[in-house]
Amino acid sequence: MLKGKEIILGVTGSIACYKAVEVVSRLRKLGANVNVVMTDSAKQFVAPLTFQTISCNPVHTGVFDIKEYNIEHVSLAKKAELIVIAPATANVISKMASGIADDLLTATVLAARSKILVVPAMNEGMFRNPILQENIRKLRRHGFLFAGPSKGGLACGEEGEGRMIEPSEIVDEVVKLIGARQDLKGKKVIVTAGPTREFIDPVRFISNPSSGKMGFALAEEARDRGAEVVLISGPVGIKAPQGVRYIPVTSAEQMRNAVNNAFNVCNAVIMSAAVSDWESSGCAADKIKAREGPLELKLNRTPDIIAGLGRKKGKRVLVGFALETNGLIKNAKIKLKEKNLDLVVANRASNGYPFGSDTNRVVIIERSGKTTELPELPKSEIARKIIDKIVNIFTTKVRN
Ligand code: C5P
């Protein structure tokens, strides 16, 4: 849920520090990379070694620790998607509200452009103090987010408001802020990927250089957003993602059968596979002998899988790809219409690109004719944009 997310956890001097260790552990279990920044007072409560061991990263403490050529507070601030300050004392809250940057944590906060979540922990009297409340209001106005405190037993022996919320609640807040959206929960999505191979004899085939990277990225994105994913892929050299049903196939015919088997119970099909358009009219039983002169092959059209789905799609969302060397938008629009698709992702093939590349440049075309031209992006980012569009279509289809 937090795979690949960079989080800074700022820990300040409160007895609730020991609970911050569990926050790190939970964030890591969800896939986040956590860098812990401790203030000097925090080090009085929990040893940096504890955080270092749990986070699997060095713990950052001094503003003057300069790593290589990076100024640490700036480099930390740059790479984080979220800064969580838990526990946040009255002292650090008021320092942040005044723009003070006299230690690594406050300097990092001042340099940050990411979201900042503050999780207060203090005595009730301190929390209710009007100066602190004014500082919290000021930080909120500047976009700082707050979670808690809750009411309950405080370290001083009193009962009251000021208790840091529980580690599980802090992690829930983090997931809400930066976690993968679960907007495909309850949906079943088929993704096809890679090339197909059409054998002309036992050792030779017709195929293309598709790497499967786009389809695999789509399957991962759909999975991360809560969908149940069936990934049907031709032969590729990359590892199947975890948490999806993976069906490896070889030929267009096998891909069609696998897609049709899963089709009835699915809500969407994304055909990103580069299905071969032709197959040999009959695969020779033995290896064709090399003789002098040309070899003539008779090729038949393979089943057009997506066109077949388009004829029986019902309420399902159907997404096709169009790889063109010329007339990109015109040809893609024709495919969208003829194959009864909801979306077509058009991309240009030139000098081997985008085969095997980690990036691509695509234009997403909707049924309404709306086109979205994306700059060159990692395939994972393109997958996110395509899934966004699919979610949009689901939402409009439900409304209609
Ligand atoms: O016509 P063209 O092959 O360019 O169409 C591309 C789209 O059609 C892709 O989504 C591809 O997966 C799908 N396709 C198919 N069956 C075929 C050939 C392509 O479903 N035999």
Side-chain angles (χ1 to χ4, degrees), residues 192 194 196 252 255 270-278 301-309 319-324 335 339 341 344-345:
T192 67
T196 63
M255 187 170 276
I270 312 173
M271 284 287 305
S272 70
V275 185
S276 172
D277 287 320
W278 291 280
R301 273 303 303 264
T302 50
D304 190 333
I305 306 170
I306 206 167
L309 303 179
V319 180
F321 274 67
L323 180 70
E324 307 288 345
K335 269 174 206 169
K339 301 186 188 210
L341 309 180
V344 66
V345 183

Side-chain angles (χ1 to χ4, degrees), residues 27-290:
L27 291 174
R28 273 194 52 83
K29 279 188 190 132
L30 295 180
N33 184 40
V34 185
N35 271 285
V36 176
V37 179
M38 296 182 83
T39 61
D40 283 342
S41 350
K43 286 191 275 180
Q44 302 295 317
F45 289 93
V46 177
L49 186 62
T50 308
F51 282 106
Q52 180 163 318
T53 313
I54 298 290
S55 70
C56 298
N57 276 321
V59 167
H60 311 263
T61 52
V63 76
F64 301 113
D65 294 348
I66 298 177
K67 298 244 161 74
E68 313 237 323
Y69 298 110
N70 288 329
I71 310 291
E72 197 174 18
H73 65 280
V74 178
S75 61
L76 275 175
K78 251 192 206 162
K79 93 177 178 172
E81 195 166 327
L82 175 71
I83 299 179
V84 183
I85 303 169
T89 57
N91 183 47
V92 81
I93 292 174
S94 296
K95 282 203 316 193
M96 292 189 299
S98 309
I100 292 173
D102 64 351
D103 59 18
L104 182 60
L105 178 59
T106 47
T108 303
V109 166
L110 208 56
R113 271 171 238 141
S114 57
K115 291 178 187 152
I116 300 170
L117 175 66
V118 184
V119 189
M122 65 196 74
N123 158 274
E124 184 172 28
M126 292 169 98
F127 184 65
R128 292 203 178 276
N129 185 297
I131 300 172
L132 182 83
Q133 286 298 322
E134 206 176 302
N135 286 337
I136 290 178
R137 278 195 299 277
K138 182 174 176 188
L139 287 172
R140 280 191 197 273
R141 271 202 313 280
H142 286 285
F144 284 63
L145 303 155
F146 282 79
S150 61
K151 281 192 178 150
L154 302 171
C156 53
E158 291 173 17
E159 284 274 319
E161 196 174 20
R163 202 180 143 86
M164 186 171 87
I165 58 168
E166 293 307 313
S168 62
E169 295 172 301
I170 298 173
V171 172
D172 285 350
E173 286 295 322
V174 172
V175 169
K176 259 192 253 161
L177 286 172
I178 59 162
R181 288 160 285 172
Q182 294 290 291
D183 44 12
L184 282 181
K185 201 150 195 88
K187 301 280 190 234
K188 295 193 166 88
V189 178
I190 300 174
V191 181
T192 67
T196 63
R197 287 180 182 174
E198 315 303 330
F199 277 82
I200 61 171
D201 73 12
V203 293
R204 302 184 182 97
F205 55 81
I206 299 165
S207 191
N208 61 69
S210 170
S211 65
K213 286 183 180 172
M214 188 66 244
F216 279 47
L218 281 159
E220 285 177 5
E221 178 70 16
R223 173 204 63 193
D224 289 348
R225 288 166 74 161
E228 218 177 280
V229 179
V230 180
L231 173 60
I232 302 167
S233 177
V236 289
I238 48 178
K239 253 176 76 184
Q242 288 188 31
V244 308
R245 206 175 124 218
Y246 183 62
I247 306 180
V249 295
T250 304
S251 66
E253 179 70 35
Q254 288 170 359
M255 187 170 276
R256 179 182 64 169
N257 293 339
V259 171
N260 282 337
N261 285 341
F263 187 68
N264 275 347
V265 290
C266 84
N267 305 98
V269 182
I270 312 173
M271 284 287 305
S272 70
V275 185
S276 172
D277 287 320
W278 291 280
E279 62 190 1
S280 175
S281 59
C283 176
D286 293 311
K287 184 179 171 195
I288 302 169
K289 293 276 175 288

Side-chain angles (χ1 to χ4, degrees), residues 9-20 85-89 92 119-121 164:
L9 179 70
V11 184
T12 67
S14 148
I15 184 61
C17 272
Y18 77 94
K19 292 191 186 173
I85 303 169
T89 57
V92 81
V119 189
M164 186 171 87

